[in-house]
Amino acid sequence: MSLDAFISKIACDAKDSAVLLAIDAPICVPQSFSHPGASLKRAYWPFNLNPFSTRPCEKALSSKPSVIDSKLEFPKLAEIIGRLCGWKGEHRNSSNRSLTKIHPGLSVLGYQGAPHGPVVQLFRDRLAERAASEGIRLSYSPKAATKPISRCIYVLESHPAVTMAIWIAQKRLGAIDTLQKYKGDSSAATKIGFQSARNGVVDLLSKEIATLDSPVSSDDELDALVGLANLVDLIRGKCDWWGTEDTGYFLIPEITDSLGFPTVREAWDNASKCVNELEVNKRG
């Protein structure tokens, strides 16, 4: 299907209903190379980053704090990440690993290094033009998408490998304890990784959402299926997001907690507000 045909179908569907899309590519990116947090010190992890290439949601997946826990400005956010990664003791301990180090099949690229970035921007531009001509609203907000309205297209960011890593941490993919490399080459190890991930995901979805009518035959189809599961969870009120709307995020499964911790989105939002206030005070 061509880009024009795809956009036409989306616009047609949106005339009488809401349309939700999960895109496995950077959708929301910082609007400035000096976005809040870039100049802050290590205590402000994961907002202390390289503003030219990395978003906080990506840094939180590929690194860990480098200061003692009591020095961290956002301890609840760090604790949520630490629980997901199984960190013991001080988060900075050498034995603790980031989520990308735990799962060989999970990688994150800085948003400037994502090879599909220009393609996504073209898609956004063309979709915006078509939506405007049809009088259809366009939203990139996961929060707004929790209560979708008719004649609105919601374009949201998914990272299927992150979702699968969280499912593994929640013991929802059966005996799978690590997301092995499942895409990128034709090696025997990658094929085994794909088969393992596919079987686990298909079994999970058949129990929680629906049984598939046809087999999943490629890693792209697997990623699309996981992205669809994110959207179903969003509609059911069982979805969260990893990061913030203004600097970038990934849709993720809801991470429940019985000890009074905030949701993932609340922890990210609270940290982001603090960073924004610090930046305003610094400039003032």
Side-chain angles (χ1 to χ4, degrees), residues 28 141 194 228:
C28 296
S141 167
F194 165 69
L228 176 60

Side-chain angles (χ1 to χ4, degrees), residues 35 42 45 191 223 252 284:
H35 60 83
R42 294 178 298 166
W45 182 88
K191 290 179 180 178
D223 284 346
I252 62 168

Side-chain angles (χ1 to χ4, degrees), residues 9 22 97 203-204 235 237 258 272:
K9 184 179 186 308
R97 297 179 296 163
D203 184 58
L204 169 69
I235 296 300
S258 60
S272 181

Side-chain angles (χ1 to χ4, degrees), residues 246-257:
D246 57 341
T247 59
Y249 68 89
F250 310 123
L251 294 177
I252 62 168
E254 184 178 48
I255 300 177
T256 57
D257 189 282

Side-chain angles (χ1 to χ4, degrees), residues 106-121:
L106 169 58
S107 64
V108 291
L109 294 173
Y111 68 96
Q112 291 282 33
H116 34 28
V119 177
V120 172
Q121 189 57 55

